[in-house]
Amino acid sequence: AQSVSQHNHHVILSEAASLELGCNYSYGGTVNLFWYVQYPGQHLQLLLKYFSGDPLVKGIKGFEAEFIKSKFSFNLRKPSVQWSDTAEYFCAALMGGSYIPTFGRGTSLIVHP
Amino acid sequence: NAGVTQTPKFQVLKTGQSMTLQCAQDMNHEYMSWYRQDPGMGLRLIHYSVGAGITDQGEVPNGYNVSRSTTEDFPLRLLSAAPSQTSVYFCASSDVNEQFFGPGTRLTVL
């Protein structure tokens, strides 16, 4: 079955630390990949997306993600996190021609000031 | 352009009561979906629609009904509420590029 896995369920960092959140998908065909962020008490917002082209995608607020097809991965990175990055992060994928994405279980990030 | 709107924002029900969560979008998207969000479970798809008059089940459809009589509206009905349906419910509409989420409804079933 098509699925999206996020390996880090809870991450705690200090401000200025670097961040990398893992995301893997299980599908051998063409995929469209997304990272969404949910700040406390809010709804999900798009951080960045990859459809094709340069596998290194830059999003809002200094986030970037790299698509590695051979590893079925789309990891999210930020070189220096801020307290305001405290949120839940969801990886999602459109697979098999579907227009309804499959979501990972999310990663809760807490950044200490 | 309001995007995706949901009502109510909060609701408390007693076991066995029924209610409808409303969702509307003004972006003329064909695709709409309902998710529930529970701690540690991420987002789970309840039902979705690929256009007016067309709906299908997602991962966790039991206890919920949907209909799509217009492009704009996609209500979610709880037929007989159970404590296991206590959750935060998000409606989303999407095009090929992105999903847009509503603000959510926090439902508690006593």
Side-chain angles (χ1 to χ4, degrees):
Chain A
Q2 299 164 358
S3 64
V4 175
S5 301
Q6 293 181 241
H7 310 298
N8 317 100
H9 298 297
H10 300 280
V11 174
I12 301 174
L13 296 173
S14 298
E15 273 194 319
S18 64
L19 170 71
E20 180 160 3
L21 302 182
C23 173
N24 288 90
Y25 62 93
S26 61
Y27 182 68
T30 301
V31 294
N32 294 336
L33 296 158
F34 308 82
W35 274 98
Y36 286 87
V37 60
Q38 184 182 30
Y39 297 106
Q42 297 187 25
H43 61 284
L44 277 76
Q45 305 167 45
L46 183 68
L47 262 183
L48 48 79
K49 60 188 177 186
Y50 171 80
F51 282 9
S52 63
D54 188 344
L56 185 61
V57 179
K58 294 191 183 300
I60 61 173
K61 304 187 179 184
F63 286 92
E64 64 179 31
E66 184 175 13
F67 171 56
I68 303 179
K69 189 175 182 179
S70 61
K71 294 185 178 181
F72 298 90
S73 70
F74 189 56
N75 292 355
L76 181 71
R77 299 194 293 248
K78 186 171 184 178
S80 177
V81 295
Q82 301 173 315
W83 174 79
S84 57
D85 292 324
T86 293
E88 189 138 11
Y89 292 81
F90 293 92
C91 182
L94 286 173
M95 300 175 281
S98 172
Y99 286 104
I100 305 295
T102 300
F103 282 84
R105 289 196 168 189
T107 297
S108 173
L109 171 66
I110 296 175
V111 180
H112 289 300
Chain B
N1 191 338
V4 181
T5 58
Q6 289 183 240
T7 56
K9 290 190 176 181
F10 302 93
Q11 183 70 50
V12 179
L13 294 177
K14 294 181 180 178
T15 297
Q17 287 185 313
S18 62
M19 78 158 296
T20 300
L21 307 185
Q22 300 292 344
C23 174
Q25 53 99 358
D26 61 1
M27 296 173 282
N28 203 32
H29 289 160
E30 292 295 324
Y31 307 99
M32 296 187 73
S33 47
W34 276 102
Y35 297 87
R36 59 178 289 173
Q37 184 178 26
D38 304 290
M41 303 296 289
L43 288 169
R44 292 184 291 171
L45 183 64
I46 303 171
H47 286 284
Y48 65 95
S49 169
V50 298
I54 306 170
T55 64
D56 206 346
Q57 296 180 351
E59 180 185 357
V60 288
N62 293 339
Y64 307 94
N65 275 357
V66 292
S67 60
R68 185 95 180 272
S69 57
T70 67
T71 300
E72 294 78 18
D73 300 300
F74 191 43
L76 178 72
R77 296 184 187 86
L78 281 70
L79 308 173
S80 177
S84 61
Q85 294 178 303
T86 293
S87 187
V88 180
Y89 292 85
F90 288 100
C91 177
S93 74
S94 53
D95 59 18
V96 294
N97 294 312
E98 184 178 343
Q99 267 200 326
F100 297 85
F101 287 85
T105 295
R106 184 173 294 275
L107 175 67
T108 301
V109 183
L110 303 176

